[in-house]
Every structure is written in structure tokens, then in C-alpha cells.
């Protein structure tokens, strides 16, 4: 049976991917149902290596499979990148490509006429232009803050929205258990810094002598040890 891979990309670890997931669900693509799998990665325009996506297109995807994304920018960096990717997927891997925003439904080995190629390239150009505009606005905002003496980032001494609190640690583990997902997705949705979570969960493995998340959840709820002492 052929598989469908839905690509979800976010720009930072803390940027929610829920909007993309909702759009995919609205179109009938539900993770884990009818041979549909979500492929999630954190990737910015400046990132050169994309190990998760590269593994998908080079190793996972097979003849007759389909790649789905909410918009072109989720799978492509530039016009050149997009053109090469389409050729690779359609003609070498013999896979289908569906992009909702640009209304693209490309069939494996399907011949593209001049107009289709033009639309594809123009869509890629506009997607790249949109990213450049956003990048320029961000730079201008940072420059304005610097001129006005406003520092970017978290003020010294201010808590980081309790991301690393015991309550959010528990919430993250509960999300993993209840939704049968891994650390990457749970920390992303619960806004718990992934690197910090991995360090904290390893401490739990040692402290509670188990790697079972349900057992860890029960034990940490009962644990009266000060979170600051456990977390440091």
C-alpha cells in the first residue's frame, strides 16, 4: 500500500505547528490513519542541512507515495531548490506532490506543460520574496530596538514563561503518553525546551530507576523534592 507523508515545518523549536496540522486534517490527512504519516522538522531559510526531510525523500519515499504540504515554503528554499526537488520526486522517485496554498497536484511521471512550469516557478519566486520581506522586517525591528536602547530577548531575572517548571514537565510527559508522541513533538507543543527536557528526563531515569514514562509521571507527582534542586 502506498503511503502519504505530510511535511510540517516550523522555523523555531517553540513555534507551534498546529495551524499546519489543522489544515492537513481539514483535507482528510490524519496522522496514523489510512497509511498517513506526519514528518516534522525545525528548519529555517538559513539552514543548509535538513536531515529529516532528506531522509524522507532519499530513503523513505517509494514509487507511488505522496508528499503533502500546506504551502510551497514548507518544503523548498528557493526557485532552484524547488525545480530540482520536483524533478527528483516526480521523475526519479516517481512520487506525487500536493501543495495546498499553491493548489498544486502533481502526478508522478506526469508531463508538465510550459504554463504549469511557469506557475510552479512563479509560486516559488513569490514564496521566496515573502520570506525575504519577513526577514527584512525582522532586521529593521531589531535595528529600531537597538537605536531606542531596547534589548531583545528575555529580560534578566524574568522567568521564561515557566517553560521549565515542574508543572510543564508533567504536562509534557502527559502529552506524550495521552497522544502517543515522542519528545520532539511534545516539547514543541508544550513549549518545553527540548534540550532541557532531555536532560531532565535522563535525571528521572536515574532517580526513579525506570524509563517508563507512566511510572516517571506517577513518581514525580508524588516527589516532594524541590524542583529547583532536581532541575539544577
Amino acid at each position: 500500500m502506498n503511503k502519504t507523508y505530510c511535511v510540517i515545518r516550523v522555523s523555531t523549536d517553540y513555534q507551534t505547528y498546529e495551524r499546519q496540522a489543522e489544515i492537513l486534517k481539514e483535507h482528510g490527512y490524519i496522522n496514523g490513519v489510512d497509511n498517513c504519516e506526519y514528518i516534522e522538522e525545525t528548519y529555517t531559510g538559513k539552514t543548509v542541512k535538513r536531515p529529516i526531510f532528506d531522509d524522507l525523500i532519499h530513503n523513505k519515499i517509494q514509487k507511488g507515495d505522496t508528499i503533502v504540504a500546506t504551502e510551497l515554503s514548507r518544503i523548498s528554499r528557493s526557485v532552484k531548490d524547488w525545480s530540482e526537488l520536483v524533478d527528483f520526486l516526480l521523475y526519479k522517485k516517481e512520487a506525487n506532490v500536493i501543495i495546498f496554498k499553491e493548489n498544486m497536484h502533481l502526478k508522478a511521471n506526469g508531463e508538465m506543460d510550459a504554463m504549469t512550469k511557469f506557475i510552479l516557478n512563479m509560486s516559488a519566486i513569490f514564496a521566496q520574496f515573502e520570506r525575504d520581506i519577513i526577514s527584512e522586517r525582522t532586521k529593521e525591528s531589531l535595528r529600531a530596538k537597538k537605536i531606542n536602547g531596547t534589548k531583545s530577548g528575555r529580560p534578566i531575572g524574568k522567568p521564561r514563561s515557566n517553560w521549565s517548571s515542574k508543572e510543564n514537565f508533567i504536562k509534557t510527559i502527559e502529552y506524550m503518553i495521552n497522544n502517543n508522541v515522542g519528545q520532539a513533538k511534545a516539547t514543541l507543543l508544550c513549549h518545553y525546551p527540548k534540550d532541557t527536557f532531555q536532560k531532565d528526563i535522563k535525571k528521572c531515569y536515574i532517580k526513579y530507576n525506570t524509563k517508563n514514562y507512566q511510572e516517571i509521571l506517577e513518581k514525580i507527582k508524588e516527589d516532594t523534592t524541590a524542583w529547583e534542586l532536581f532541575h539544577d
Side-chain angles (χ1 to χ4, degrees), residues 10-54:
V10 294
S11 298
T12 69
D13 286 334
Y14 310 117
Q15 178 185 352
T16 179
Y17 84 116
E18 289 177 330
R19 184 182 69 85
Q20 294 175 64
E22 285 303 317
I23 293 174
L24 291 166
K25 290 177 182 178
E26 288 172 4
H27 285 79
Y29 296 98
I30 309 298
N31 191 23
V33 178
D34 295 330
N35 223 24
C36 179
E37 179 181 344
Y38 283 19
I39 302 296
E40 301 136 28
E41 68 171 354
T42 299
Y43 161 77
T44 66
K46 295 181 179 180
T47 305
V48 176
K49 295 182 179 180
R50 301 177 62 184
I52 296 176
F53 185 73
D54 289 343

Side-chain angles (χ1 to χ4, degrees), residues 73-131:
S73 61
R74 299 303 169 188
I75 64 173
S76 169
R77 293 190 300 266
S78 64
V79 178
K80 180 176 181 294
D81 179 57
W82 169 241
S83 299
E84 292 177 351
L85 180 61
V86 168
D87 287 341
F88 178 78
L89 290 173
L90 296 185
Y91 306 120
K92 185 170 183 178
K93 300 298 288 190
E94 298 185 75
N96 309 300
V97 178
I98 298 175
I99 310 293
F100 297 136
K101 183 178 179 180
E102 286 79 11
N103 194 28
M104 298 178 185
H105 293 74
L106 308 177
K107 296 293 185 180
N109 288 318
E111 292 187 10
M112 287 187 289
D113 56 26
M115 182 56 70
T116 301
K117 290 181 180 180
F118 174 76
I119 293 174
L120 288 174
N121 288 333
M122 288 304 297
S123 296
I125 289 172
F126 281 122
Q128 184 174 338
F129 176 72
E130 184 178 20
R131 290 196 302 272

